PDB file of all heavy atoms in Angstrom:
ATOM      1  N   VAL A  32     -11.800 -24.478  61.182  1.00 97.00           N
ATOM      2  CA  VAL A  32     -11.207 -25.544  60.371  1.00 97.00           C
ATOM      3  C   VAL A  32     -10.129 -26.278  61.156  1.00 97.00           C
ATOM      4  O   VAL A  32      -9.991 -27.509  61.064  1.00 97.00           O
ATOM      5  CB  VAL A  32     -10.622 -24.947  59.076  1.00 97.00           C
ATOM      6  CG1 VAL A  32      -9.740 -25.956  58.354  1.00 97.00           C
ATOM      7  CG2 VAL A  32     -11.748 -24.486  58.156  1.00 97.00           C
ATOM      8  N   TYR A 127     -23.810  -8.505  80.427  1.00 98.00           N
ATOM      9  CA  TYR A 127     -24.300  -9.842  80.782  1.00 98.00           C
ATOM     10  C   TYR A 127     -25.689  -9.740  81.383  1.00 98.00           C
ATOM     11  O   TYR A 127     -25.891  -9.153  82.454  1.00 98.00           O
ATOM     12  CB  TYR A 127     -23.332 -10.473  81.788  1.00 98.00           C
ATOM     13  CG  TYR A 127     -23.612 -11.913  82.136  1.00 98.00           C
ATOM     14  CD1 TYR A 127     -24.097 -12.814  81.195  1.00 98.00           C
ATOM     15  CD2 TYR A 127     -23.366 -12.379  83.427  1.00 98.00           C
ATOM     16  CE1 TYR A 127     -24.335 -14.139  81.525  1.00 98.00           C
ATOM     17  CE2 TYR A 127     -23.599 -13.717  83.772  1.00 98.00           C
ATOM     18  CZ  TYR A 127     -24.088 -14.588  82.811  1.00 98.00           C
ATOM     19  OH  TYR A 127     -24.326 -15.896  83.130  1.00 98.00           O
ATOM     20  N   THR A 184     -14.582  -4.646  87.121  1.00 98.00           N
ATOM     21  CA  THR A 184     -15.619  -3.815  87.735  1.00 98.00           C
ATOM     22  C   THR A 184     -16.983  -4.303  87.278  1.00 98.00           C
ATOM     23  O   THR A 184     -17.235  -4.404  86.073  1.00 98.00           O
ATOM     24  CB  THR A 184     -15.439  -2.341  87.365  1.00 98.00           C
ATOM     25  OG1 THR A 184     -14.118  -1.918  87.727  1.00 98.00           O
ATOM     26  CG2 THR A 184     -16.456  -1.471  88.081  1.00 98.00           C
ATOM     27  N   PRO A 190     -32.805  -2.486  88.555  1.00 98.00           N
ATOM     28  CA  PRO A 190     -33.509  -1.790  89.635  1.00 98.00           C
ATOM     29  C   PRO A 190     -33.474  -2.523  90.969  1.00 98.00           C
ATOM     30  O   PRO A 190     -33.991  -2.003  91.961  1.00 98.00           O
ATOM     31  CB  PRO A 190     -34.944  -1.717  89.099  1.00 98.00           C
ATOM     32  CG  PRO A 190     -35.087  -2.953  88.263  1.00 98.00           C
ATOM     33  CD  PRO A 190     -33.735  -3.173  87.636  1.00 98.00           C
ATOM     34  N   ARG A 228      -1.812 -12.528 104.107  1.00 76.00           N
ATOM     35  CA  ARG A 228      -3.092 -12.509 104.812  1.00 76.00           C
ATOM     36  C   ARG A 228      -4.232 -12.032 103.934  1.00 76.00           C
ATOM     37  O   ARG A 228      -5.366 -12.474 104.089  1.00 76.00           O
ATOM     38  CB  ARG A 228      -2.994 -11.594 106.027  1.00 76.00           C
ATOM     39  CG  ARG A 228      -2.200 -12.151 107.180  1.00 76.00           C
ATOM     40  CD  ARG A 228      -2.282 -11.192 108.350  1.00 76.00           C
ATOM     41  NE  ARG A 228      -1.492 -11.687 109.472  1.00 76.00           N
ATOM     42  CZ  ARG A 228      -1.370 -11.030 110.620  1.00 76.00           C
ATOM     43  NH1 ARG A 228      -1.988  -9.864 110.781  1.00 76.00           N
ATOM     44  NH2 ARG A 228      -0.630 -11.536 111.586  1.00 76.00           N
ATOM     45  N   LEU A 316     -13.052  -6.106  91.636  1.00 98.00           N
ATOM     46  CA  LEU A 316     -12.095  -7.147  91.993  1.00 98.00           C
ATOM     47  C   LEU A 316     -10.724  -6.756  91.471  1.00 98.00           C
ATOM     48  O   LEU A 316     -10.602  -6.181  90.379  1.00 98.00           O
ATOM     49  CB  LEU A 316     -12.503  -8.494  91.389  1.00 98.00           C
ATOM     50  CG  LEU A 316     -13.865  -9.062  91.788  1.00 98.00           C
ATOM     51  CD1 LEU A 316     -14.127 -10.367  91.042  1.00 98.00           C
ATOM     52  CD2 LEU A 316     -13.936  -9.278  93.292  1.00 98.00           C
ATOM     53  N   LEU A 431      -5.854  -8.706  55.797  1.00 98.00           N
ATOM     54  CA  LEU A 431      -4.645  -8.413  56.551  1.00 98.00           C
ATOM     55  C   LEU A 431      -3.892  -7.231  55.953  1.00 98.00           C
ATOM     56  O   LEU A 431      -3.299  -6.429  56.687  1.00 98.00           O
ATOM     57  CB  LEU A 431      -3.753  -9.654  56.582  1.00 98.00           C
ATOM     58  CG  LEU A 431      -2.637  -9.673  57.618  1.00 98.00           C
ATOM     59  CD1 LEU A 431      -3.183  -9.449  59.024  1.00 98.00           C
ATOM     60  CD2 LEU A 431      -1.876 -10.987  57.550  1.00 98.00           C
ATOM     61  N   THR A 498      13.471   5.659  56.520  1.00 95.00           N
ATOM     62  CA  THR A 498      13.193   4.952  55.271  1.00 95.00           C
ATOM     63  C   THR A 498      13.674   3.517  55.431  1.00 95.00           C
ATOM     64  O   THR A 498      14.865   3.235  55.330  1.00 95.00           O
ATOM     65  CB  THR A 498      13.907   5.626  54.080  1.00 95.00           C
ATOM     66  OG1 THR A 498      15.299   5.780  54.406  1.00 95.00           O
ATOM     67  CG2 THR A 498      13.311   6.987  53.790  1.00 95.00           C
ATOM     68  N   LYS A 635     -23.627  -6.694  32.119  1.00 96.00           N
ATOM     69  CA  LYS A 635     -23.775  -5.274  32.425  1.00 96.00           C
ATOM     70  C   LYS A 635     -24.364  -5.032  33.813  1.00 96.00           C
ATOM     71  O   LYS A 635     -25.476  -4.516  33.976  1.00 96.00           O
ATOM     72  CB  LYS A 635     -24.602  -4.592  31.342  1.00 96.00           C
ATOM     73  CG  LYS A 635     -23.866  -4.557  29.986  1.00 96.00           C
ATOM     74  CD  LYS A 635     -24.517  -3.585  29.035  1.00 96.00           C
ATOM     75  CE  LYS A 635     -23.722  -3.416  27.764  1.00 96.00           C
ATOM     76  NZ  LYS A 635     -24.254  -2.344  26.900  1.00 96.00           N
ATOM     77  N   SER A 681       0.780   7.416  25.761  1.00 59.00           N
ATOM     78  CA  SER A 681       0.713   8.881  25.757  1.00 59.00           C
ATOM     79  C   SER A 681      -0.052   9.370  26.983  1.00 59.00           C
ATOM     80  O   SER A 681       0.256  10.417  27.551  1.00 59.00           O
ATOM     81  CB  SER A 681       0.034   9.375  24.483  1.00 59.00           C
ATOM     82  OG  SER A 681      -1.320   8.956  24.433  1.00 59.00           O
ATOM     83  N   PRO A 718     -25.555   8.161  51.412  1.00 98.00           N
ATOM     84  CA  PRO A 718     -25.220   9.133  52.465  1.00 98.00           C
ATOM     85  C   PRO A 718     -24.063   8.666  53.343  1.00 98.00           C
ATOM     86  O   PRO A 718     -23.512   9.455  54.109  1.00 98.00           O
ATOM     87  CB  PRO A 718     -26.520   9.222  53.287  1.00 98.00           C
ATOM     88  CG  PRO A 718     -27.598   8.773  52.369  1.00 98.00           C
ATOM     89  CD  PRO A 718     -26.972   7.742  51.484  1.00 98.00           C
ATOM     90  N   PRO A 765     -24.509  -2.892  49.830  1.00 98.00           N
ATOM     91  CA  PRO A 765     -23.984  -2.240  51.033  1.00 98.00           C
ATOM     92  C   PRO A 765     -22.696  -1.468  50.778  1.00 98.00           C
ATOM     93  O   PRO A 765     -22.065  -1.563  49.713  1.00 98.00           O
ATOM     94  CB  PRO A 765     -23.739  -3.418  51.980  1.00 98.00           C
ATOM     95  CG  PRO A 765     -24.619  -4.507  51.500  1.00 98.00           C
ATOM     96  CD  PRO A 765     -24.642  -4.348  50.009  1.00 98.00           C
ATOM     97  N   THR A 812     -16.049  11.860  54.670  1.00 98.00           N
ATOM     98  CA  THR A 812     -16.998  12.430  55.635  1.00 98.00           C
ATOM     99  C   THR A 812     -18.243  11.563  55.742  1.00 98.00           C
ATOM    100  O   THR A 812     -18.758  11.314  56.842  1.00 98.00           O
ATOM    101  CB  THR A 812     -17.384  13.853  55.216  1.00 98.00           C
ATOM    102  OG1 THR A 812     -16.200  14.671  55.230  1.00 98.00           O
ATOM    103  CG2 THR A 812     -18.422  14.443  56.155  1.00 98.00           C
ATOM    104  N   GLY A 824     -29.184  12.428  67.750  1.00 95.00           N
ATOM    105  CA  GLY A 824     -28.473  11.604  68.715  1.00 95.00           C
ATOM    106  C   GLY A 824     -28.262  10.165  68.293  1.00 95.00           C
ATOM    107  O   GLY A 824     -27.705   9.368  69.044  1.00 95.00           O
ATOM    108  N   ALA A 885      -1.026  19.031  50.309  1.00 93.00           N
ATOM    109  CA  ALA A 885      -0.184  17.834  50.396  1.00 93.00           C
ATOM    110  C   ALA A 885      -0.300  16.963  49.157  1.00 93.00           C
ATOM    111  O   ALA A 885       0.564  16.114  48.909  1.00 93.00           O
ATOM    112  CB  ALA A 885      -0.566  17.025  51.628  1.00 93.00           C
TER     113      ALA A 885
END
Side-chain angles (χ1 to χ4, degrees):
V32 168
Y127 187 36
T184 305
R228 286 185 182 179
L316 300 177
L431 196 55
T498 52
K635 293 195 173 187
S681 65
T812 298

